[in-house]
Amino acid sequence: MTKGMLNAMIELKGGKTAPVFLDDLDSYDPRRSSATGFNRLVNLPRQYKNGAIPLIPRYKAQCQHKWAAKDSQCNLPLILGRPDPKILSTVAAFCEHCRCHLDLSIDFRGGGTSPCPTQESPLHHFIHQPEISLPHYKPDNASKLDGSSDWQDLNWFQCSSIDCSAKLKIQIRSPRLRPEWVELLINKDLIKARAEEQIVKDPARFEGHAVPLPSDVLSNLRTYILNTLRDGNRRKIQAHNKKWLLCLGDPCSELVEFIGFTREGDNWLVPEPDQSLTPPISNPVNIRLEDVEKELLALLLKRPDDERRAIKVQYGLNAATRDLSRVLSTGDYKQNPSARTATSQDPEHPFYPTLGAKLDFHDDLIKFSYERQLVSDPENTPYYLEALQGIAAGRKSEELQTLVAIEASSGKISTSDIRDAYKLLDLEIESEFLDEDYIIGSFQSRAADAPRQDSELRRALQIVGQDRSSQKIQSMASKTVTSYEQALSWLGATPDMDDEFVVAMYKVKEDENPAEEATARQAVFVVAQHRKSAALKQWLDTGVLGEVEMDVGQAYNRLQIDDRSISDDFILAAFQLFHQEAPSQVDDLRSALRAIAKDRNSHTLLSFLDSGMATSEHPLGEWPVGLANIGNTCYLNSLLQFYFTMKPLRELVLKFDDYKMDLTVDNLVPKMVGSRKISRQEVQRAQSFVYGLQKLFQSMITSAAFHVAPELELARLTLVTQPLEAALRRRSTTSGNRPSLGEINGRPVLGPMPPPIPEAAVDNAKSQAKQAETPMNAGGNGGKIGADASSEETLLGNDPADATADQEMLDPGSEELQRQQQQILEDKENLPPRKMVSDRPATPDTILQPLGESSPSRMNEQHCAAETNHDLPTPHSPSKSEIAVIAPPPNRPPPFPPRPQTEEQKQAIVAEVQLGAQQDVTEVISNVLFQLECAIKATAFDPSGEQIDLVKQLFFGKQKSYTSNAQGVLRMKEQFFSNLIVDVASGPKDIYEALDGAFDEQEVEVEGSFRPQYTTITHLPPVLKVMVQRVQYDQKKASAFKSINHLGLKETIYMDRYMDSEDDDLIQRRKESWEWKRQLRQLEARKADLVQTELEMDMVDVLTATKEYLDQLSEDDSFEVPASLREGVENAVAEARDELSCNYTPLAQTLGSVLIVNIAIDARIKDLSSNIGSQFVDLQFLPYTLQAVFIHVGSATFGHYWIYIRDFEKNIWRKYNDESVSAVTDVSQIFDQDPSDRPPTPYFLVYVKDELRDQLVNPVCRDVPPQQQPPPPPPPQQAQYGTSDTIMNDSVNDYPMTVTDAVEDRQGTTVAIGDWFKADNTGKHLEW
């Protein structure tokens, strides 16, 4: 930066990356110029002397181009492989809106050694070449009939990479059809006038002919052109051709002559293109004809629907986006996940285009763009550094902020630093009279007036001195140590070093140079002041270091937190996780938490340290409430919070009486949920569940507390399915042992068990649950459980002697029959099966072969609720007359009256909740939806008899699987689904890769052979749920483990690619994608064989070592090595080395007529990945927006859940962590990969249909009565639940205790958790 540089507008001479070029090309209109001379395609945003950053100009008449390809004029590079240095790649396109024509070509024939993209240069970075460019000029040979353009715009660019010779040419031309000609073709009045003129001349000849519409005129002229392009026969159009006369005639002579029609007397001859040409064509006649044909088609597609219905448009327009991206190699650049929250309407800050970068660039690409700008335009380094500072601050990116710090440490300064420095020193930057003495005098005057700003003033003086290249000014600026940074730098310390190290470094400095003792003590004093360190202050006064508090840097390291911008909730979760693992280290952990809390001045963390609870800082009526953890229920809390935010479901629950199903025979007989009949008990249980949910939702709306507690009974009904409940109850009558959660390393399990690793008790209970659903034997009691008779018989008071009594059949028309039908529906699960005549066909003999750990499509199929096989007749539901009716056993005793719950019953409920908390996540979700459907009335029934209702319409979709048997017969099976299950066991994936696994073609066993099968979606639900299968099983270790592979989420996904369709293009794209993935798997497997061997050496090294060993053996006369063996190993070494480089082609692949050769494995993998990633990018008609993300941190056997939920109205994310609900300030914690050893990972995702999101989602629903006041905080000695099932008790050494610890402390022995609950007078509400 030189003196006076900021006095005028800065002209930047840097370049742009290829993705920015593509964006600018869409908005660049050469016909619309800026008054300031700004050219969007070639210029970077300018900065003015006052630091104001102008927005990029945009004009009302400026066209936002939509480029369509002109295929026959294109010469595209190969889909696979590196750019060919011998080929000129070209894209020819035109805009569907303004009809301007674009010719974009890239030429690598300049001799570069390594064309972009490479590892060092992942993108092209183009610099404008003004000396050979011709912006918006009129060609000299332009005339109305020679086919030339009215105007052209030509710009040349050169890639800035020294190893890349790419030259980019961008030429934009005016439309072929002039405005006056277009008027002749689409103006109805002009068309009518010339048509009526012909009709008046010869009314008899044109009798019955109507005046043509503009669409007829356009279509007929286009047909003439298409015919001549296709067959090349130079046909003659007779002078009396009715269609020609009515549509065109003499008024259009100039137009048709321009196109290439010529007169032969009164007749017209069509143009004569060259039919021998192959793409890319270069013949001017062919090019002009194709240009005009494309423009006519664009005009035709703009006509109203009622006009276009009468004609048949033969072809559509193909978007050129993919071709442009392919030529410029932009299809696979790294993106920044945080940019997903931005929408297409969000303005891009000019700092991004200043660096030639995009808003969605990954930090690595921002660094690359910045470095290329410095190389291309070093004179403007300060302004590029300012842009980097702004982007780093806006993103809160540690990586970019580190780069900014490195640049600053290397002596670079930004333009904002210069402006601020002059302003702080009260200097006019534009003044011509500033000299060194005046500047130093101004500094001294300001320092005397504001001594506390000494460090800031010296820093400003340093910048001014650097800007003016003045050693005198810089020497004055660095005379003493006044700032914390200066002090640390002078001592050779860093911010994360503790006070003891600071004192040690002081002694080192004093020993090296005793004359600098005063400066060293000043440095220590500055550090002590900055840190507010009592230990250092005591050392300065007495020479003895005081008690050292944990430094905030050490505190973050202790909790293994790298990102200091994360939320307080995450810090609490990390604290609690480490405390669970090592309770004996609680003092050290609390010291770390306290240091972080003080550094942040965090109300949440400090309140947690004081009381064991985190309270909200938001107004009660404007913020959601948290849910108290009542014992391993953090997943339940997350699930309940999610369902509360679903507005239609919340309304159903709150107004349940409007949806509730009456328990009548007419309602119960046809009721089928999940492909099975539903009993009265199931409906009653489900309705109890909904009433419990209603009570909780009402409390969440009206409570004046920051959090509320779900009732234990609601938790039991949510977490425990009815079959599991029945099995537990039966076991309780046969054994005195209650189910236990078990222990890990001698301590109780804290938190829910992720799916699905059950303890022995769970296995036993589930097996009994299955027994409850199996048919009973002919005697009716279903066998014995242990040595006892059936517990259900005992509980119901049945007489065993009557269990096998003859069953009498009643008259189907009698009232007694109806009464007993009702009774049977109430208790059908306890009745023996009756053989029923049914015409239901057998299930087809398709055996699904297990597909291993990464088969989400099979998991989705097994998860479906109901199915319909299109090969078979539709099964019918049994009518009331088909139900087998059994007479009740005689002398049935009356039911027992209700009794108060005993302590043992309460403990049993608690144990059931604890056991239910270990259920598979999918089981809990399915149980909730199942009970909701059971509780409400049907709105309709599908052909299979399955109930259709609000829940089904909201959460269930339908998918169809296609399977071919050995005879080639395609079988289709359509079925409901509530979740899509995806897998990340094989490695990190983005959301599309994961979803692809659920729908891609796979091999399944059909009738003894493996056949292809794939799945599509026939109906999408408004709320789309995605389950991430993370718990896997290690066959070698015979144990479960949790996969922590990253799942890259997107703010919006488009489901078009997965829909069931007969569109040939979509089907072909799917097949191409499947083939690319097959090739990719082969290449990755081959690469693994080459680089990963059991000897921890790659294949080249292994073969080389083998060769050397054979060479040594051959020198031993006592051992003969066959020459053929040595030669074979030598050849293998060469082949392996070539295969890992760019010279080996193990498989000759054919794409069309092009043979792909000499492609390195890595390059082919990259190209295939790029093709797969861009295959469906243009299908964006079915957007779904991310609404909720369930997170789990921990292992396969323990951990903690929380949920992130999006508030679309306020455009924020919130984190719901049991009692705590907080705003998410940095969405990277949701989208980015956490580098820690045990990262939080998404377990369950919820996407909502974008167009319905405001009707579906409403997270904040609060109506707190004004008379209520928040309850006072509990006294410190009162035990309270903390997050992750801990109790905070300051009276016992001020550390959190587990539930078991608390019980042992009270009684000295461990007792059941149920002993710590008490019931109110209703016998239902339990409180801690």
Side-chain angles (χ1 to χ4, degrees), residues 349-370:
H349 195 284
F351 278 155
Y352 286 92
T354 292
L355 295 183
K358 288 185 63 176
L359 178 67
D360 66 349
F361 270 16
H362 191 275
D363 288 352
D364 291 344
L365 290 183
I366 295 292
K367 292 168 62 178
F368 165 77
S369 303
Y370 167 75

Side-chain angles (χ1 to χ4, degrees), residues 1080-1109:
L1080 183 61
R1081 289 192 295 270
Q1082 289 180 346
L1083 288 171
E1084 289 174 339
R1086 179 57 181 163
K1087 181 180 178 181
D1089 290 341
L1090 291 173
V1091 301
Q1092 299 172 4
T1093 66
E1094 295 181 358
L1095 300 176
E1096 298 183 354
M1097 303 164 61
D1098 66 33
M1099 186 61 69
V1100 173
D1101 292 338
V1102 170
L1103 292 172
T1104 301
T1106 304
K1107 176 182 174 297
E1108 292 173 352
Y1109 178 69

Side-chain angles (χ1 to χ4, degrees), residues 682-702:
E682 288 176 302
V683 175
Q684 290 174 327
R685 183 185 196 273
Q687 291 179 348
S688 298
F689 161 73
V690 179
Y691 277 124
L693 195 60
Q694 181 185 78
K695 184 175 180 180
L696 175 66
F697 281 6
Q698 289 170 343
S699 178
M700 294 171 70
I701 294 171
T702 61

Side-chain angles (χ1 to χ4, degrees), residues 402-707:
T402 300
L403 177 59
V404 169
I406 292 173
E407 294 295 85
S409 67
S410 67
K412 293 186 177 70
I413 55 176
S414 68
T415 50
S416 61
D417 295 334
I418 297 171
R419 288 193 302 271
D420 294 341
Y422 277 87
K423 183 177 180 180
L424 186 61
L425 294 174
D426 201 19
L427 299 172
E428 291 292 333
I429 196 170
E430 300 177 7
S431 174
E432 299 178 359
F433 305 101
L434 292 180
D435 58 19
E436 292 177 339
D437 292 335
Y438 184 91
I439 293 172
I440 292 173
S442 178
F443 159 75
Q444 291 171 337
S445 175
R446 293 278 293 146
D449 293 340
R452 293 186 178 181
Q453 291 185 291
D454 182 80
S455 60
E456 297 177 52
L457 293 169
R458 287 187 181 277
R459 172 61 180 157
L461 186 64
Q462 178 74 30
I463 292 173
V464 171
Q466 186 175 345
D467 176 49
R468 304 177 76 89
S469 301
S470 169
Q471 291 296 326
K472 182 178 180 179
I473 294 176
Q474 294 185 65
S475 177
M476 180 67 187
S478 59
K479 188 174 182 179
T480 187
V481 176
T482 57
S483 70
Y484 180 61
E485 291 76 14
Q486 283 180 316
L488 290 176
S489 177
W490 196 89
L491 291 169
T494 57
D496 59 344
M497 293 179 178
D498 61 19
D499 294 346
E500 289 179 333
F501 191 88
V502 170
V503 173
M505 292 307 299
Y506 162 84
K507 293 177 180 178
V508 170
K509 289 289 185 181
E510 184 183 34
D511 292 341
E512 290 177 350
N513 188 357
E516 292 185 341
E517 179 187 0
T519 306
R521 288 188 67 84
Q522 172 67 13
V524 175
F525 174 78
V526 171
V527 173
Q529 290 289 99
H530 178 84
R531 293 184 175 182
K532 300 178 181 178
S533 170
L536 286 179
K537 290 178 181 178
Q538 181 177 330
W539 179 85
L540 287 167
D541 293 339
T542 66
V544 178
L545 188 65
E547 183 180 353
V548 178
E549 294 183 0
M550 184 176 291
D551 178 76
V552 67
Q554 290 178 297
Y556 280 109
N557 289 336
R558 178 66 183 85
L559 296 179
Q560 296 185 14
I561 296 172
D562 297 325
D563 182 5
R564 299 191 184 187
S565 63
I566 62 175
S567 67
D568 290 346
D569 288 335
F570 189 91
I571 293 173
L572 278 178
F575 166 82
Q576 291 160 344
L577 191 61
F578 280 109
H579 173 251
Q580 291 176 24
E581 293 179 338
S584 62
Q585 299 177 16
V586 66
D587 292 336
D588 189 44
L589 292 171
R590 285 180 64 83
S591 296
L593 187 62
R594 192 173 296 280
I596 295 173
K598 288 182 177 180
D599 179 68
R600 288 174 165 239
N601 193 23
S602 167
H603 169 82
T604 301
L605 298 181
L606 291 171
S607 67
F608 179 85
L609 285 163
D610 293 339
S611 65
M613 299 178 63
T615 59
S616 174
E617 300 177 1
H618 300 277
L620 279 173
E622 302 174 9
W623 202 253
V625 297
L627 294 177
N629 192 316
I630 59 174
N632 300 332
T633 59
C634 52
Y635 176 75
L636 170 67
N637 289 345
S638 298
L639 188 63
L640 294 175
Q641 291 282 19
F642 158 65
Y643 284 128
F644 182 81
T645 64
M646 289 285 101
K647 186 177 179 180
L649 182 65
R650 187 175 66 223
E651 291 298 317
L652 181 152
V653 172
L654 294 174
K655 300 178 181 179
F656 175 51
D657 288 339
D658 296 339
Y659 297 89
K660 180 180 177 181
M661 190 191 83
D662 294 332
L663 299 177
T664 63
V665 174
D666 290 338
N667 288 338
L668 288 168
V669 167
K671 192 172 185 68
M672 181 186 291
V673 178
S675 295
R676 71 176 181 83
K677 291 294 184 179
I678 305 303
S679 70
R680 171 183 285 269
Q681 283 95 336
E682 288 176 302
V683 175
Q684 290 174 327
R685 183 185 196 273
Q687 291 179 348
S688 298
F689 161 73
V690 179
Y691 277 124
L693 195 60
Q694 181 185 78
K695 184 175 180 180
L696 175 66
F697 281 6
Q698 289 170 343
S699 178
M700 294 171 70
I701 294 171
T702 61
S703 174
F706 293 110
H707 60 267

